[in-house]
Amino acid sequence: MPKPLRRSRRTWVAAWAVLCVAAIAAAAALNAFPAPDPQPEKPVSAECAEYIADIETQLAKREGNDDGVLSFTRTRVGADDCSDEILDHFSGDR
C-alpha cells in the first residue's frame, strides 16, 4: 500500500492564508456593489386596506394570548381577492 503524500505545515498554512485572502477579497467586492432599490409598494384597494386593518386590530387584541393558531374567515361575495396584499403586508423581510 503506497504511503499518502505528506505536506509540510507551511504548505497548509500558506493554502489557508490564500483562501482567507480570497474570501476577504470576495466579501469586499460584494460590499462594493450597491443594494438593489426596494420595490415600490403596490396600491392596495380600500376594501383590502380595511381588511388588513381589521386583521391588525384582532392581532393587537390577542397580543399576549399565544395559545394557538389565529385564523380569519370572511365571506365576501364579488369582492376583491386580498390574499396577495395580505401576504405582502405581513410577510416582513422575506
Side-chain angles (χ1 to χ4, degrees), residues 5 8 10 22 26 31 36 41 45 47 49-50 52-53 58-59 63-64 73 83 89 92:
L5 295 175
S8 70
R10 280 187 210 164
N31 287 335
E41 292 186 24
S45 69
E47 185 175 354
E50 178 185 335
I52 290 171
Q58 291 184 31
L59 285 173
E63 186 77 18
T73 58
S83 59
H89 182 77

Side-chain angles (χ1 to χ4, degrees), residues 28-48:
L30 287 174
N31 287 335
F33 290 111
D37 294 331
Q39 297 203 2
E41 292 186 24
K42 297 180 219 171
V44 177
S45 69
E47 185 175 354
C48 291

Side-chain angles (χ1 to χ4, degrees), residues 7 18 66:
R7 298 201 179 204
V18 168
D66 195 14

